[in-house]
Structures are given as structure tokens and as C-alpha cells.
Amino acid sequence: MSVVPIVDIDDVLFVSVGDELEDQAVATLQQELAERVVATRARGVLIDISVLDVVDSYMARALHEIAAATALLSARTVVVGMRPEVAITLAELGLTLPGMLTALSVREGLAALR
């Protein structure tokens, strides 16, 4: 079982990353999300990163891989709650999140999936 809870909200899976994740926890989350998208026939995945002070290259790549895997399973991924300092750091490092939508809040993320 994942250290990150995955909540089913209608046809959207919601994940709130509450802490910096170790590599194994990220890998487990990726696997569980893919399995849950299929099991629940989810149309979308919302990943809330509002508590993260830093998104390093590993986490950025993991978010990209989650979005790529869920897209192959007919679901879209929206990252919500990115802090300004995180966005600035990602931009300075040249790290982007291709294939993924972003939104400022969960409400806006849900609207983007509708």
C-alpha cells in the first residue's frame, strides 16, 4: 500500500503529496495510480503538491511519467497547488512538465478535467 493516499472523487483520483517522497514511495505511487486508473475507470488524476517546498528533477520526472502513463490509460493528470518558488526553480533549471496540466487550486484542477 502506498504511503500517499489516493482518494476517488467521482471519476477523478486525488492525491495529496504531504511530504517529500523517497524514491521507492514515488515508484509505488506511480504503480498504484496506474492500477487505480484502470480499476476505477478514472478520467483524471489530480496531484496536489501545495505542501512541497522543492520539486527536484527526480520528482519532476516522476510527475511527467505519471502523466504519461495515465494518458496511455485515457486519463489526464493535473498538478495543483504549485508554489511560486517551486515554479521559479523548475523554470530556472529548465525542467518542464510536458503532457501535464497545472492549476492553482483543486477546484480549478477539477474544472480543467471537466
Side-chain angles (χ1 to χ4, degrees):
M1 180 167 208
S2 178
V3 295
V4 180
I6 301 170
V7 179
D8 189 354
I9 304 171
D10 295 325
D11 57 354
V12 174
L13 298 176
F14 176 72
V15 177
S16 182
V17 179
D19 209 350
E20 300 293 329
L21 297 177
E22 300 293 324
D23 293 358
Q24 185 56 45
V26 172
T28 300
L29 176 62
Q30 288 173 318
Q31 181 69 32
E32 287 186 8
L33 270 173
E35 290 171 1
R36 291 281 301 274
V37 164
V38 171
T40 64
R41 296 176 134 3
R43 288 186 324 115
V45 175
L46 281 180
I47 303 175
D48 181 5
I49 62 168
S50 60
V51 300
L52 296 182
D53 292 323
V54 175
V55 173
D56 60 12
S57 60
Y58 179 79
M59 186 63 171
R61 188 175 76 246
L63 291 171
H64 169 71
E65 289 172 359
I66 288 170
T70 58
L72 289 170
L73 299 170
S74 298
R76 293 187 300 158
T77 299
V78 180
V79 173
V80 300
M82 186 179 300
R83 294 178 179 209
E85 57 271 17
V86 170
I88 290 167
T89 301
L90 287 173
E92 287 174 347
L93 294 173
L95 299 173
T96 60
L97 302 175
M100 205 175 331
L101 300 171
T102 58
L104 295 176
S105 68
V106 171
R107 179 177 296 177
E108 291 175 9
L110 284 170
L113 290 172
R114 300 286 179 226

